[in-house]
Each structure stands twice: as structure tokens, then as C-alpha cells.
């Protein structure tokens, strides 16, 4: 039986799910044991990641067919919104404009957006949709756990947690757009599941590197 887009998205997400015990930072935040410097570094690293990913998604939208272009445009718009929320988190953890200007980002944390940029230049858009959607599932789960920890143990309010709440929220519209983009790739023969799985595996590896470097 030929796989549908929904089938592929579900099976790929399950296959690429990270080891739940592998992230060294999120459990610390959940228990209130992450030091302030780690939270500040998280904000500083994300100040580099978010605008880089936004530009990558904009480029993917430009080189995509109609269905994938809608998906990547939504991602780019979301990154822009997330950047506004990120500033509130940065203020809450004591990051100033001077800190941001002077900060030297960690290579292990910036490998992820660098690879997203590679995908923007080299991957077939439908393959990138499948790989990114699988990775977003893990990222959203991490953000939900961080938001809970920040509220419970650090006394952060909704404004300071909005960056993580944003990514943790279910997005039925984005899910529908991903399904439509993957289905369009299947219908046109431009989706290559082996390539998408490779891209997704690398994304998850770079995601793990981010958290390991942050710790």
C-alpha cells in the first residue's frame, strides 16, 4: 500500500524521536537546578538561531512549489514572532544589549541553524518539510517542559515564558500545511524519503549538540 503524507509524517517523527534522557539541560530547568548563567546562555544562543532560521525558511519558501511555500512562509512568520517573545525571556534572565553584542556564540549550539541554512540551499523542499516537521516535535516538547520549570521554580510570568509557550503550543494549521506539502512532494515524485530521513537524523543530532554545548 502506498504511504500517505500523514503516514510518512507520523512514522518519520517516531523514528527520529530523540532519547528522552539525552537532553542535559531541560531536566535541570524542570527541577529548578539550572544555574542563571545557563538560562542566560540559552537566550543568547537563541538570539543567533531565530533570525538565521527565519532567513533560511524565507529562502526555502522562495524556491518551493505552492504547498511547501505556504509551510515555509508560516515558519518564517513564526520565527519573527518568536524573536519578539525571546527578548522578554532575555530580559528576565538578565541579558542586556551589551551582553548580546559582546557574546561569542558556541559552535555546538550554532551547528543546528548552520545546517538549516544548508537545507535551505541544497535540499528538495518536500524533503526539508518532512525532516523539519519531525524535529519540531522534539523541540516543542522541550519548550513545554522548560516553560513549566520556569514558572514553577524561577517565578517567571507569562511574558518571560512566551517564547517557550509559543513553540510548545499545538499548531493544527502548520500540521495541515506540512501534510499538504509532503503530499504534493509524493504526488510530483519530488519527495525522497531516504534523503528526508538523513536530513532529519542530522537535525536531531545537531539539536542534541545544542543542548550538550549549552550545558
Amino acid at each position: 500500500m502506498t504511504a500517505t503524507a500523514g503516514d510518512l509524517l507520523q512514522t518519520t517523527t517516531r523514528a527520529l524521536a530523540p532519547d528522552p534522557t539525552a537532553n542535559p539541560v531541560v531536566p535541570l530547568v524542570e527541577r529548578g537546578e539550572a544555574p542563571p548563567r545557563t538560562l542566560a546562555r540559552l537566550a543568547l544562543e537563541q538570539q543567533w538561531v531565530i533570525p538565521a532560521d527565519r532567513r533560511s525558511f524565507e529562502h526555502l519558501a522562495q524556491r518551493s512549489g505552492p504547498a511547501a511555500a505556504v509551510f515555509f512562509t508560516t515558519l518564517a512568520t513564526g520565527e519573527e514572532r518568536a524573536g519578539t517573545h525571546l527578548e522578554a525571556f532575555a530580559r528576565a534572565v538578565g541579558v542586556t544589549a551589551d551582553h548580546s553584542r559582546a557574546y561569542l556564540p558556541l559552535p555546538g549550539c550554532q551547528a543546528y541553524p548552520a545546517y538549516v541554512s544548508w537545507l535551505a540551499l541544497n535540499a528538495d523542499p518536500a524533503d526539508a518539510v518532512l525532516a523539519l516537521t519531525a524535529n519540531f516535535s522534539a523541540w516543542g516538547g522541550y519548550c513545554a517542559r522548560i516553560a513549566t520549570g520556569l514558572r514553577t521554580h524561577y517565578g517567571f510570568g507569562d511574558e518571560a515564558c512566551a517564547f517557550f509557550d509559543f513553540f510548545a503550543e499545538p499548531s493544527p494549521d502548520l500540521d495541515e500545511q506540512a501534510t499538504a506539502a509532503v503530499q504534493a512532494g509524493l504526488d510530483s515524485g519530488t519527495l525522497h524519503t531516504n534523503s528526508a530521513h538523513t536530513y532529519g537524523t542530522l537535525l536531531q543530532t545537531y539539536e542534541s549538540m545544542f543542548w550538550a554545548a549549552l550545558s
Side-chain angles (χ1 to χ4, degrees):
M1 182 180 295
T2 302
T4 67
D7 294 334
L8 276 176
L9 285 162
Q10 290 180 12
T11 57
T12 303
T13 298
R14 285 197 298 267
L16 297 178
D19 180 348
T21 66
N23 190 315
V25 174
V26 171
L28 294 179
V29 180
E30 284 185 303
R31 298 193 299 266
E33 297 173 5
R37 66 179 179 276
T38 298
L39 298 178
R41 189 178 294 150
L42 175 57
L44 288 160
E45 293 292 340
Q46 285 296 327
Q47 286 179 339
W48 283 72
V49 173
I50 294 299
D53 282 356
R54 176 181 56 78
R55 287 189 290 270
S56 294
F57 297 146
E58 288 172 345
H59 186 72
L60 276 161
Q62 291 169 4
R63 52 184 288 262
S64 295
V70 171
F71 173 80
F72 288 119
T73 298
T74 297
L75 290 185
T77 301
E79 296 294 317
E80 187 171 3
R81 287 180 58 195
T84 301
H85 295 319
L86 178 59
E87 295 312 306
F89 173 63
R91 289 193 298 270
V93 296
V95 171
T96 66
D98 287 341
H99 292 148
S100 297
R101 283 191 292 268
Y103 183 69
L104 181 65
L106 299 171
C109 288
Q110 296 306 311
Y112 180 95
Y115 186 63
V116 174
S117 296
W118 186 95
L119 292 177
L121 292 172
N122 296 285
D124 285 326
D127 298 348
V129 172
L130 184 54
L132 285 161
T133 301
N135 175 252
F136 291 158
S137 177
W139 165 245
Y142 292 149
C143 286
R145 295 165 63 188
I146 289 173
T148 297
L150 292 176
R151 286 185 167 94
T152 303
H153 300 291
Y154 297 87
F156 285 14
D158 290 344
E159 184 180 17
C161 294
F163 175 79
F164 302 100
D165 291 338
F166 175 74
F167 286 112
E169 291 175 356
S171 180
D173 289 345
L174 187 63
D175 292 341
E176 290 180 5
Q177 292 166 9
T179 302
V182 171
Q183 190 63 55
L186 286 170
D187 294 342
S188 64
T190 58
L191 178 69
H192 312 92
T193 54
N194 287 341
S195 294
H197 192 278
T198 297
Y199 300 154
T201 299
L202 287 169
L203 281 170
Q204 295 291 48
T205 301
Y206 292 132
E207 173 93 25
S208 296
M209 287 174 60
F210 177 93
W211 298 105
L214 199 67
S215 67

